[in-house]
Amino acid sequence: MACVSIVRDVEVLGYHRLHAEEKWQIEEIIPAAAMLPLTDEVARIAVRLRQQRNMTLGGALIAGAAWVTGLPLVARKVDEFKTVTGLRLIDPLEQH
């Protein structure tokens, strides 16, 4: 099952330099993915992550959602998440 964090909408779709074609491509993913809500548990994990690491708010929320659900975190920029124990990271553009 594919899921996306609701934070994705704010971070990616809210990006001020996002072109219409890029927005369209991103929005095509939404119907195929379940939306992960921002829960109290996700927020508590995000707070701990920000207290312990130099993480952005969006990154901490996304990592918290992945950690709480046990789902892999798929991101192009995985460096911010490498220090979070227990996260399975996938870079979709990485060559295997």
Side-chain angles (χ1 to χ4, degrees):
M1 168 173 80
C3 299
V4 293
S5 170
I6 196 151
V7 175
R8 189 271 339 232
D9 285 351
V10 177
E11 285 215 317
V12 177
L13 295 176
Y15 181 59
H16 69 284
R17 291 187 180 172
L18 187 66
H19 298 288
E21 177 66 20
E22 294 168 321
K23 183 180 180 205
W24 178 82
Q25 289 172 342
I26 293 166
E27 288 178 330
E28 285 296 303
I29 297 170
I30 293 172
M35 187 68 69
L36 295 176
L38 178 57
T39 64
D40 289 344
E41 187 177 9
V42 169
R44 280 192 298 275
I45 297 296
V47 167
R48 272 192 249 136
L49 290 172
R50 285 183 51 94
Q51 288 172 339
Q52 298 168 358
R53 296 163 177 81
N54 183 21
M55 291 189 86
T56 64
L57 175 59
L61 291 168
I62 291 168
W67 194 87
V68 166
T69 61
L71 294 169
L73 193 158
V74 180
R76 179 64 190 115
K77 299 177 182 177
V78 296
D79 288 344
E80 181 176 19
F81 306 108
K82 286 183 178 178
T83 62
V84 181
T85 304
L87 280 186
R88 291 179 293 151
L89 300 175
I90 299 172
D91 179 344
L93 301 180
E94 185 177 294
Q95 299 294 327
H96 294 278

